Amino acid sequence: INHWTAVFKALSEPLRLRVVHLLLVTEELCVCDLTAILGVSQSMVSRHLAYLKNAGLVESRREGLWIHYRLRDDLEPMTAAILKGLDEHANQDAIIGEDLGRLAKSKLTEGCK
């Protein structure tokens, strides 16, 4: 029960849903990429990524000064199914569509170097 509570709480916040969706459509993103795409501060992105990491949804790796995030490969089947459903239906949301438009126009990780 505690695991599912953490997963659903992590997915209950709109910005975290946007982050998860961006990670679903990319292999991984740097914090600076996410700040540019989402239009929010680095501290806000980092705080939400930490929440997602604590819930067991994302993992990170360091490259120089920057931390890159991706969805965990070892998600439980039910969690993976929930995220698959998010991926299949999120494009209907206008804000997600705007995020995807900014993602398509961005030059990923160039701002991180």
Side-chain angles (χ1 to χ4, degrees):
I1 293 277
N2 288 339
H3 167 72
W4 295 114
T5 301
V7 168
F8 284 113
K9 284 176 85 172
L11 297 175
S12 71
E13 207 288 326
L15 187 62
R16 289 193 290 268
L17 274 176
R18 292 169 64 194
V19 168
V20 167
H21 188 261
L22 287 167
L23 294 175
L24 281 165
V25 298
T26 60
E27 186 172 319
E28 73 176 15
L29 289 169
C30 178
V31 172
C32 64
D33 293 327
L34 287 165
T35 61
I37 294 165
L38 298 169
V40 297
S41 69
Q42 180 271 329
S43 63
M44 182 177 287
V45 169
S46 293
R47 183 170 52 250
H48 286 289
L49 285 165
Y51 201 103
L52 292 168
K53 191 172 185 178
N54 289 336
L57 297 173
V58 300
E59 59 190 6
S60 63
R61 70 174 180 85
R62 180 175 288 279
E63 184 176 309
L65 297 174
W66 300 103
I67 300 176
H68 297 260
Y69 288 85
R70 59 184 283 149
L71 292 173
R72 292 178 56 120
D73 291 329
D74 61 348
L75 293 172
E76 292 186 11
M78 186 171 161
T79 303
I82 290 167
L83 296 185
K84 182 179 178 190
L86 170 65
D87 187 35
E88 291 172 356
H89 298 285
N91 293 337
Q92 299 169 8
D93 183 88
I95 294 172
I96 295 286
E98 292 170 9
D99 290 344
L100 292 174
R102 285 188 293 274
L103 173 65
K105 292 178 184 175
S106 70
K107 295 181 180 176
L108 296 179
T109 68
E110 284 189 15
C112 300
K113 295 180 180 184

